[in-house]
Amino acid sequence: MKYVIGIDLGTTNSALAYTELKPDADPLDLPEVRLMEVPQLVNPGEVRDEPLLPSSLYIPGSTDFPAGSLALPWNPEPEVVVGALAQKRGVENASRLVGSAKSWLSHSGVDRTSAILPWSAPEGVKKISPVDASSRYLEHLRHAWDSKMPDAPFGEQQLLVTVPASFDAVARELTLQSAERAEFRDVTLLEEPQAAFYAWIERHKDWRERVKLGDLILVVDIGGGTTDFTLIAVTEQAGELTLDRMAVGEHILLGGDNMDLALARLIADQLAQKGTRIDTLQLHQLWHNCRVAKEKLLEPGARAKEQPVTILGKGTGLVGGTIKAALKRDDIDRVLMEGFFPNVPSAEMPARQRRVGLQEIGLPYAADAAVTRHMAQFLRQQASSAEHERVRRGPSGLAAPTHVLFNGGVLHARLIRDRLIEVLDAWLATEGFGPVQALTGEDLMHAVSRGAAYYGLARHGRGVRIRGGVPRTYYVGIETAMPAVPGMPAPLKALTVAPFGMEEGTSIQIPNREFGLVVGEPAEFRFFSSTVRKNDSPGALIEDFGDELQELSPMEVSLTSTEGTGTVPVSFETVVTETGVLQLWCVARDGRRWKLEFNVRERIAQ
Amino acid sequence: MGRIWLAIRSFFSILFSGSLPEDAITQLGLMRRGASKPKAAPAPPAAPRASDGALQMLSILQRDSRLIDFIMEDVAAYSDEQVGAAVRGLHDQARESLARYVKLVPVIDGVEGTFTKPAVTDPAAVKFVGNVPAGKPSGGLLRHKGWRAGKIDLPPLNPKQDSTIVAPAEIEIE
């Protein structure tokens, strides 16, 4: 038996879905995609199947758990705890908890391959790298599969791992590295919003009747820790409807956890005004209780105006020490609706990152909590990509979606979905368009892994495939040949090496540019990307790009003396592999090739 | 006297057989090279006692819902409101936890207050109350449906763990 396995490696939760691969089955009769429950430690000494694997990792010390209580069916003595127990114990002792490893994976301000997590661990705790942490989750899923499906070894299945659309080439490469470290073979990466859309297609076999040529679908994905936007256009090829992924947003570290914490802080403030102060552990309990209370208040049909939240007494005096508070519906409306989803005009852009003096190095959380402003920015940015005729636009240049698809746990709440639609409709009305239509999806928590499994079949020609290619334009920095001015860096130009939308399984020779690589010395290239500039063709040299380009980790290549002596003239070749990985090669005139590797260590000094 | 005797025995033993007698080695606290330490017999895994499952259930209810804290606390001094606030969350969690480990089902799945003819008459499963006739009663009003543990799904006990610990003491490091 052969399966396609789709893995949603999430910021807060991971999931695994699978479907049977039957090459000779009727291509229109799509098989069912199933979810695998993940066995994991939920309490010391208790392994249980759970629908999700919390992406939490705990590095146990000698006093943390009774001996032998961490055994898993496949490992009697794991070094680290992964999943529900890690999450639980992490609340009690946050300094040994690794959370949001995925966000660290895309954070270029730190060396993502060195052991830096948990970020605030006390000395003596054996830290691990973001790449390593991610690989532990994947490894857990691999073992879980093998323990449940002994007849179909994990290594022989087709594997898909999802990444945020906003992940740049470096973060994707690092995700692949963690997959390799977890002994995954031949992994294909897939963007999460696309996966969510595939899940919608999988649930709606008649999707061709639900959308039409020229439609533009906005995918809004708000998970526990990140917010991701994608635009997919409905186009036509040889008389058949096809789907093109037109744009992806930037990486926004903003999600449901922020919202629940904001509510918990509000309650903590209200308590403080009454003279009751709570500590960090109690805030965590409050955080959790606020999430539960919020979900109850926002449940369809809920009429209650408030929901009690209590913090139980810490000692054995449970009732005596109980702190009472209530989460009011009005507070949710105010904090969530005004703080996170304000009804703003489409011209309102998110506040810029505050960079005040010494900022604590940690995750670069979004400076502006307003999801709607980030959405406005995303739709505005599409104004500059004029070549994309298929993107419906208003007179102001705002991309004007016809449909919206929601994904991620936060969007379970109808209140929030309705607010996003309300805001979008107002923007569309200003541009002279009718209201947006919501594509109803089900199972917002598992859509990504389900969609990934579906996509695995699509790669075998069964089911529709979204055309995408690389979601950014990539550049290599070239210092201009100008007389050096003391104290001033030479002005930089950017050579386009991968155009926006470059498709999987293609390669491009970059014309007009040759470099001399010195044998025995590492050559380093500054590397940039842009989600905004979409018209630059390969080989084009860009000047004065302002802040449209973002610098990524540099790339380097080193020729050893076995490859000759002196200087070897080379040109660039860009390859996007079938599995969606961007590679840059140096090609000598005689056809010899060397691959450029990311150097993620470099930018930390800045 | 013991020392002289030991010295003489050791002397002759070395002289004739080339080694110390076994008891002299023990007495002197020595060890024969190459010989392994007498192994402490591995402690036999403590056989689970009948009370272990009960203690485990208590400890689960305490861990998940803090039920033991609640029961052990003197709540007489607190207002109903205060008790209510604490109990609401506790109740949800205790119920969830119980449902997970011990699935409780009614003994008689009927409507309380209606006439019921029980299928079984085992006094442990069905209790007749009120004007019970001398013979076997055929039926009556269902006052209480009763509870039966339909399925028990407790995690295996860790033999190395002290099962009498219902809840560990907690020490916070500031």
Side-chain angles (χ1 to χ4, degrees):
Chain A
M1 196 78 76
K2 184 127 172 129
Y3 295 95
V4 181
I5 300 177
I7 291 175
D8 174 8
L9 180 61
T11 315
T12 43
N13 285 298
S14 297
L16 187 152
Y18 63 101
T19 183
E20 215 175 293
L21 192 58
K22 287 188 232 155
D24 44 349
D26 176 4
L28 290 174
D29 174 33
L30 284 168
E32 203 194 341
V33 175
R34 274 165 293 180
L35 289 164
M36 188 186 81
E37 299 217 309
V38 186
Q40 58 194 285
L41 282 160
V42 288
N43 289 299
E46 185 181 354
V47 175
R48 196 164 66 208
D49 283 2
E50 291 285 323
L52 295 170
L53 177 74
S55 304
S56 297
L57 184 147
Y58 189 86
I59 302 174
S62 57
T63 59
D64 274 312
F65 301 105
S69 65
L70 298 183
L72 289 164
W74 53 85
N75 186 353
E77 265 176 282
E79 289 175 337
V80 295
V81 188
V82 167
L85 178 61
Q87 191 182 35
K88 243 186 224 180
R89 179 68 186 143
V91 172
E92 298 163 341
N93 182 10
S95 62
R96 285 178 175 271
L97 174 77
V98 178
S100 310
K102 189 161 97 170
S103 297
W104 287 96
L105 213 53
S106 64
H107 180 17
S108 61
V110 295
D111 179 356
R112 289 161 271 181
T113 56
S114 74
I116 52 168
L117 299 178
W119 187 250
S120 53
E123 212 145 305
V125 172
K126 204 175 155 223
K127 293 188 177 191
I128 66 170
S129 72
V131 174
D132 214 6
S134 300
S135 88
R136 297 295 179 128
Y137 306 139
L138 294 173
E139 195 181 27
H140 187 101
L141 291 171
R142 172 168 66 85
H143 287 304
W145 172 277
D146 280 336
S147 75
K148 297 215 137 194
M149 313 283 267
D151 300 334
F154 190 80
E156 292 169 20
Q157 314 308 319
Q158 195 198 330
L159 305 175
L160 288 114
V161 175
T162 61
V163 289
S166 49
F167 258 26
D168 61 34
V170 188
R172 283 170 202 237
E173 171 73 30
L174 293 174
T175 306
L176 269 190
Q177 275 182 26
S178 40
E180 272 161 27
R181 210 169 286 187
E183 292 171 49
F184 280 39
R185 245 160 267 135
D186 301 325
V187 184
T188 303
L189 298 181
L190 172 67
E191 291 168 13
E192 283 156 15
Q194 282 193 51
F197 192 69
Y198 282 122
W200 178 79
I201 292 176
E202 192 246 335
R203 290 287 177 101
H204 301 91
K205 318 259 146 136
D206 62 340
W207 69 274
R208 283 183 174 82
E209 273 109 67
R210 289 171 187 251
V211 292
K212 60 179 196 308
L213 185 66
D215 279 353
L216 185 64
I217 297 138
L218 169 68
V219 185
V220 181
D221 185 354
I222 310 179
T226 51
T227 294
D228 217 350
F229 299 106
T230 285
L231 275 177
I232 294 170
V234 182
T235 56
E236 193 177 27
Q237 200 178 34
E240 272 274 310
L241 281 190
T242 53
L243 298 161
D244 278 10
R245 195 262 281 105
M246 307 306 294
V248 302
E250 276 157 33
H251 203 64
I252 308 166
L253 286 187
L254 177 64
D257 294 347
N258 307 51
M259 298 170 198
D260 299 331
L261 184 59
L263 293 173
R265 287 249 159 83
L266 177 84
I267 303 264
D269 280 354
Q270 289 171 354
L271 288 170
Q273 277 167 19
K274 291 186 206 151
T276 314
R277 303 225 162 262
I278 62 169
D279 64 18
T280 324
L281 267 178
Q282 290 176 315
L283 183 68
H284 261 283
Q285 203 189 347
L286 187 60
W287 189 353
H288 172 80
N289 292 349
C290 277
R291 172 165 35 234
V292 176
K294 178 196 78 181
E295 279 164 11
K296 277 195 183 142
L297 284 170
L298 296 182
E299 220 159 61
R303 294 237 180 87
K305 289 228 178 303
E306 61 174 58
Q307 189 74 33
V309 280
T310 49
I311 310 166
L312 297 178
K314 286 212 274 190
T316 51
L318 173 119
V319 176
T322 290
I323 302 166
K324 282 176 303 179
L327 180 63
K328 296 191 184 66
R329 178 61 202 249
D330 293 350
D331 288 339
I332 295 190
D333 286 358
R334 197 160 45 80
V335 172
L336 294 193
M337 295 300 105
E338 297 317 312
F340 290 92
F341 300 94
N343 200 340
V344 294
S346 67
E348 206 166 308
M349 295 292 110
R352 283 282 180 180
Q353 193 84 7
R354 14 158 222 228
R355 288 255 176 243
V356 271
L358 269 175
Q359 202 181 15
E360 193 192 357
I361 311 173
L363 285 174
Y365 290 108
D368 196 325
V371 172
T372 41
R373 281 196 204 103
H374 289 285
M375 186 163 79
Q377 186 181 38
F378 172 67
L379 293 176
R380 279 267 162 235
Q381 274 172 351
Q382 309 318 318
S384 59
S385 47
E387 93 294 3
H388 283 296
E389 290 301 323
R390 289 160 298 182
V391 174
R392 187 173 79 142
R393 274 194 196 79
S396 78
L398 185 82
T402 54
H403 295 77
V404 60
L405 176 75
F406 296 116
N407 190 50
V410 170
L411 294 162
H412 269 299
R414 201 197 162 101
L415 178 81
I416 297 175
R417 295 200 303 267
D418 286 352
R419 169 52 71 96
L420 284 172
I421 289 176
E422 180 194 337
V423 171
L424 278 171
D425 284 350
W427 295 350
L428 289 173
T430 318
E431 306 286 328
F433 293 113
V436 76
Q437 211 182 322
L439 298 176
T440 45
E442 293 108 279
D443 195 10
L444 277 68
M445 295 299 279
H446 294 105
V448 167
S449 57
R450 296 186 80 97
Y454 173 92
Y455 172 73
L457 292 178
R459 279 172 59 84
H460 287 270
R462 302 187 56 200
V464 68
R465 199 171 155 180
I466 302 169
R467 283 183 308 187
V470 292
R472 293 159 179 247
T473 315
Y474 287 93
Y475 308 86
V476 162
I478 293 172
E479 283 175 18
T480 48
M482 270 174 71
V485 181
M488 291 273 284
L492 197 76
K493 288 185 187 175
L495 175 72
T496 314
V497 290
F500 184 91
M502 182 173 169
E503 287 194 30
E504 290 89 359
T506 61
S507 66
I508 296 175
Q509 297 279 345
I510 309 301
N512 316 331
R513 281 280 150 179
E514 234 179 28
F515 300 87
L517 292 186
V518 181
V519 170
E521 275 178 38
E524 195 178 271
F525 298 90
R526 290 175 73 180
F527 192 54
F528 298 83
S529 79
S530 176
T531 50
V532 186
R533 298 185 65 101
K534 295 181 180 174
N535 304 326
D536 299 330
S537 52
L541 212 51
I542 318 297
E543 290 174 70
D544 304 325
F545 37 76
D547 55 2
E548 287 183 339
L549 262 57
Q550 280 146 2
E551 180 150 19
L552 308 176
S553 300
M555 297 190 97
E556 61 178 26
V557 64
S558 189
L559 272 53
T560 58
S561 53
T562 53
E563 280 139 354
T565 48
T567 308
V568 180
V570 295
S571 57
F572 281 132
E573 185 185 332
T574 311
V575 175
V576 180
T577 66
E578 274 296 340
T579 54
V581 183
L582 179 79
Q583 293 177 345
L584 216 53
W585 294 79
C586 284
V587 187
R589 285 176 191 160
D590 57 9
R592 285 179 300 159
R593 290 150 59 87
W594 301 274
K595 192 174 157 225
L596 285 152
E597 304 285 354
F598 287 112
N599 181 351
V600 287
R601 286 197 164 136
E602 211 42 42
R603 276 186 67 198
I604 305 133
Q606 292 181 359
Chain B
M1 178 65 201
R3 274 188 291 171
I4 297 168
W5 178 233
L6 182 67
I8 294 169
R9 274 196 50 208
S10 301
F11 172 73
F12 283 106
S13 179
I14 292 169
L15 187 68
F16 293 118
S17 70
S19 68
L20 278 170
E22 210 57 63
D23 55 341
I25 288 175
T26 330
Q27 227 168 325
L28 291 166
L30 300 174
M31 209 199 285
R32 221 181 272 286
R33 192 171 291 174
S36 59
K37 247 189 204 158
K39 261 188 205 145
R49 286 159 302 177
S51 61
D52 285 354
L55 287 170
Q56 187 186 14
M57 200 61 231
L58 287 184
S59 111
I60 285 173
L61 286 169
Q62 164 67 10
R63 182 194 68 203
D64 292 354
S65 71
R66 300 191 51 196
L67 187 67
I68 306 302
D69 284 345
F70 175 63
I71 293 169
M72 294 308 288
E73 191 174 9
D74 179 9
V75 295
Y78 303 114
S79 68
D80 288 359
E81 199 198 351
Q82 179 81 2
V83 176
V87 162
R88 208 168 276 281
L90 185 152
H91 173 262
D92 280 356
Q93 278 158 351
R95 186 191 165 108
E96 193 182 307
S97 169
L98 200 59
R100 178 167 297 139
Y101 298 102
V102 182
K103 196 170 172 255
L104 291 173
V105 293
V107 177
I108 296 177
D109 195 4
V111 179
E112 288 180 4
T114 59
F115 187 82
T116 308
K117 276 186 178 179
V120 286
T121 49
D122 175 6
V126 179
K127 183 162 80 174
F128 291 98
V129 294
N131 297 317
V132 187
K136 202 177 93 176
S138 60
L141 290 183
L142 180 64
R143 285 292 176 223
H144 192 295
K145 288 191 270 193
W147 292 115
R148 179 203 296 278
K151 198 178 140 206
I152 303 171
D153 192 10
L154 286 167
L157 282 163
N158 184 347
K160 289 179 199 150
Q161 217 170 309
D162 181 356
S163 63
T164 62
I165 302 290
V166 173
E170 283 175 25
I171 294 173
E172 186 176 345
I173 293 120
E174 306 243 332

